[in-house]
Amino acid sequence: MQPDLHDIAARIDAARVYELAARTPLQYAPKLSADLGRNVWLKREDLQDVFSFKIRGAANRMSALKDAEKARGVCAASAGNHAQGVAKAAAYHGVEAVIFMPVTTPSIKVAAVQSHGAKTRLIGDTYDDACAAALAYAEHSGAVFIHPFDEIDVIAGQGTVAKEIFEDAPRDIAAIYVCTGGGGLVSSIGAYAHVHSPATRIIAVEPMGAATLKAARAAGHPVALTHVDGFADGVAVRTFGQLTFAICEQVVDACVTVSNDAIAAAVRDIFELTRTVVEPAGALALAGLKRDVADGNAPDGDCVVTVSGANVNFDRIGHVVERAELGAGEEMLFSAVIPEQRGAFRAFVEALGNRAVTEFSYRYQANSHAHLLVGLKIKSGSERDAVMAALRLANVTAHDLSGDRLAKRHLRHMGGGRSDSAEDEAIYRVEFPERPGALGQFLTALDARWNISLFHYRNHGAAEGHVLCGFQLPCGDKEGLENSLSLIGFPFWDETNNPATQLFL
């Protein structure tokens, strides 16, 4: 049975959120509007006291509790933003709250939850692990479990975002781009828009590595992702909600997926306009609008993007900045092969013209050619093409590595060079939850027969750690190595034949 959208809209109108939630501004973005060729408005949910729209759903759900339920206490599972909302609402109503969070949750979010008086329990590597623990706790303790997105009172509270948008917009809204994880916000905004402004398009925006709504639509029902990219940790859920999916099937006009680099570029856009550093999930909707504009899919009228959260660890900011220029198309990273002979280096530099160099790595090799890793400031994709064309004219063999994960995450930060035993070596990229002991677990769990010949790890404050690892293979036993890696339980990718590996490692 399909959810009744008129009933949901009525619940949104009646939602009790303003005891705890602020009415946030709908802010015009003049520079973005000029750049994107249409009026762009930011719905500033980062200005809530808990820096996220999640306080709305938590406030409305908590206000609906009966006295007997309040006496039993509440519990929740969250990677941070919902947790803060529940903690603050519980403190306001004098209710005991126990919040289950993944061990990988940024410390700034854990501290914020504790500051509201809630108890925190860090369990598991993912939201799903924490949620299972919270449900088990609710079962044996009697505490009321408050879902972050898949129950009607939470959805109704979050839908007050849409109510404010339509009340504050000076003109009809052509489209609302909504950050999407489990679906609470996009389903509520979509339901309200469907009733009060049916011509407004609702666009769900997801990270490429955590596209749960896209997967649910392909399957016809919510399905669990086998792997979730935690870069935008605020929307990094494994499975879309059942109720939210039923609503979204009626109200979401399109889904857009965006890369982590595009998200980082949108974080920078918002900072330049507001001087606020939002978390990756907070900039997700803007990244979706920019993607639609570039692809020619965005409507011409006024567009609203939700700026949904600003709970970001300070140590993550550097990594986001690093990725932003690549995401904005303002930097290119490429490899080049030039002859080890007089005049070749000068010819290479002349081919680059007067462009600003952001990075330049070179290591002498005792053979006829030198391998370079170069970063350049550029202004557009067409300039990228011009650089590659100029290099070809100078007889320089070059590969654009701007989209290569190995190059961006590891190679540009590594020293050393090629190994003399590279012919007996396999290179793998491994991803693991960024929690205390995880790196040690990876190293100690490796079978001792695999000698490590290369290793690179760099902590950048995210929920996931990334290792580049080389192994010497006795008798070329690649199948045995991959069986050993599988037993550790972390996802891994063979990068041995990656062009960047072949050139530099």
Side-chain angles (χ1 to χ4, degrees):
M1 185 174 178
Q2 289 186 329
D4 184 337
L5 301 182
H6 286 272
D7 175 66
I8 296 171
R11 288 173 179 265
I12 291 170
D13 282 326
R16 294 174 56 187
V17 302
Y18 295 111
E19 293 170 319
L20 293 165
R23 184 185 182 98
T24 58
L26 185 65
Q27 180 178 349
Y28 180 63
K31 182 178 184 300
L32 284 172
S33 299
D35 291 345
L36 300 180
R38 64 218 354 100
N39 290 322
V40 178
W41 301 83
L42 308 181
K43 180 56 175 169
R44 296 289 307 280
E45 286 300 290
D46 58 299
L47 296 178
Q48 295 289 354
D49 284 349
V50 298
F51 307 103
S52 166
F53 71 93
K54 291 286 190 175
I55 184 62
R56 296 174 182 266
N60 193 51
R61 178 69 181 91
M62 196 74 69
S63 70
L65 290 178
K66 298 179 174 63
D67 289 342
E69 291 175 315
K70 291 179 179 179
R72 285 156 39 200
V74 299
C75 66
S78 169
N81 291 342
H82 175 64
Q84 291 179 67
V86 171
K88 181 173 182 177
Y92 179 83
H93 289 281
V95 177
E96 181 179 283
V98 180
I99 311 296
F100 292 77
M101 310 175 80
V103 176
T104 55
T105 302
S107 59
I108 192 171
K109 295 184 179 182
V110 178
V113 171
Q114 294 170 343
S115 72
H116 293 296
K119 299 176 182 177
T120 57
R121 298 189 182 180
L122 303 184
I123 293 180
D125 297 326
T126 66
Y127 161 77
D128 297 84
D129 296 334
C131 186
L135 289 170
Y137 174 81
E139 179 70 23
H140 79 256
S141 71
V144 178
F145 177 73
I146 299 182
H147 201 284
F149 51 82
D150 207 28
E151 57 178 282
I152 192 62
D153 287 331
V154 171
I155 292 170
Q158 293 174 359
T160 55
V161 171
K163 186 173 186 288
E164 292 174 14
I165 288 172
F166 290 115
E167 288 175 349
D168 294 346
R171 292 174 294 278
D172 291 341
I173 298 296
I176 304 176
Y177 286 75
V178 189
C179 59
T180 302
L185 186 62
V186 71
S187 64
S188 63
I189 289 177
Y192 199 83
H194 188 85
V195 172
H196 294 284
S197 181
T200 300
R201 289 174 56 79
I202 302 300
I203 314 298
V205 187
E206 302 180 287
M208 289 179 178
T212 52
L213 178 55
K214 181 181 178 181
R217 285 193 150 185
H221 56 85
V223 293
L225 301 179
T226 56
H227 176 255
V228 178
D229 186 334
F231 179 77
D233 57 284
V235 294
V237 300
R238 191 170 297 276
T239 310
F240 206 77
Q242 294 286 342
L243 175 56
T244 55
F245 179 70
I247 298 169
C248 286
E249 282 294 83
Q250 299 182 70
V251 301
V252 170
D253 296 287
C255 295
V256 178
T257 58
V258 292
S259 69
N260 291 348
D261 286 346
I263 296 170
V267 170
R268 189 186 71 173
D269 290 331
I270 292 171
F271 173 79
E272 289 180 348
L273 178 68
T274 68
R275 298 301 187 267
T276 298
V277 179
V278 298
E279 63 187 287
L284 184 58
L286 176 57
L289 171 59
K290 292 175 66 178
R291 168 73 185 273
D292 258 5
V293 170
D295 292 345
N297 295 327
D300 292 329
D302 289 42
C303 293
V304 173
V305 297
T306 58
V307 181
S308 57
N311 289 297
V312 59
N313 264 23
F314 185 78
D315 57 3
R316 287 204 70 191
I317 296 173
H319 178 61
V320 173
V321 170
E322 186 179 281
R323 302 290 292 267
E325 288 195 335
L326 284 168
E330 296 176 3
E331 183 189 25
M332 66 180 294
L333 186 68
F334 67 94
S335 65
V337 180
I338 64 174
E340 283 280 18
Q341 63 187 37
R342 293 182 183 276
F345 188 70
R346 178 184 292 274
F348 170 76
V349 172
E350 289 175 350
L352 300 182
N354 293 322
R355 298 176 178 91
V357 175
T358 59
E359 184 161 350
F360 197 103
S361 298
Y362 161 71
R363 182 172 169 80
Y364 173 80
Q365 298 185 61
N367 54 37
S368 59
H369 290 84
H371 295 162
L372 313 176
L373 181 67
V374 183
L376 278 186
K377 285 272 193 182
I378 58 173
K379 296 179 180 177
S380 65
S382 60
E383 186 173 2
R384 183 196 311 270
D385 296 338
V387 170
M388 299 304 286
L391 293 172
R392 286 193 295 272
L393 285 174
N395 294 318
V396 175
T397 301
H399 294 280
D400 186 355
L401 302 178
S402 303
D404 189 288
R405 288 191 176 191
L406 182 148
K408 291 185 292 186
R409 286 179 176 165
H410 300 285
L411 193 59
R412 70 189 308 179
H413 305 293
M414 292 176 67
R418 296 177 64 85
S419 168
D420 292 337
S421 61
E423 66 275 6
D424 300 319
E425 186 179 49
I427 309 293
Y428 285 84
R429 179 167 53 86
V430 184
E431 187 176 283
F432 59 87
E434 191 66 273
R435 52 171 166 72
L439 180 59
Q441 177 190 343
F442 169 70
L443 292 172
T444 56
L446 282 174
D447 193 316
R449 62 183 163 140
W450 311 114
N451 184 51
I452 296 177
S453 55
L454 175 150
F455 196 87
H456 179 259
Y457 161 76
R458 182 167 172 259
N459 186 307
H460 51 71
E464 293 166 344
H466 303 277
V467 159
L468 189 67
C469 204
F471 302 93
Q472 290 181 323
L473 298 180
C475 304
D477 188 12
K478 196 169 186 177
E479 181 179 354
L481 171 63
E482 292 196 349
N483 287 338
S484 292
L485 291 173
S486 297
L487 291 174
I488 301 174
F490 299 153
F492 62 88
W493 295 264
D494 184 356
E495 297 282 10
T496 307
N497 295 318
N498 185 308
T501 302
Q502 294 297 310
L503 284 167
F504 295 99
L505 303 177

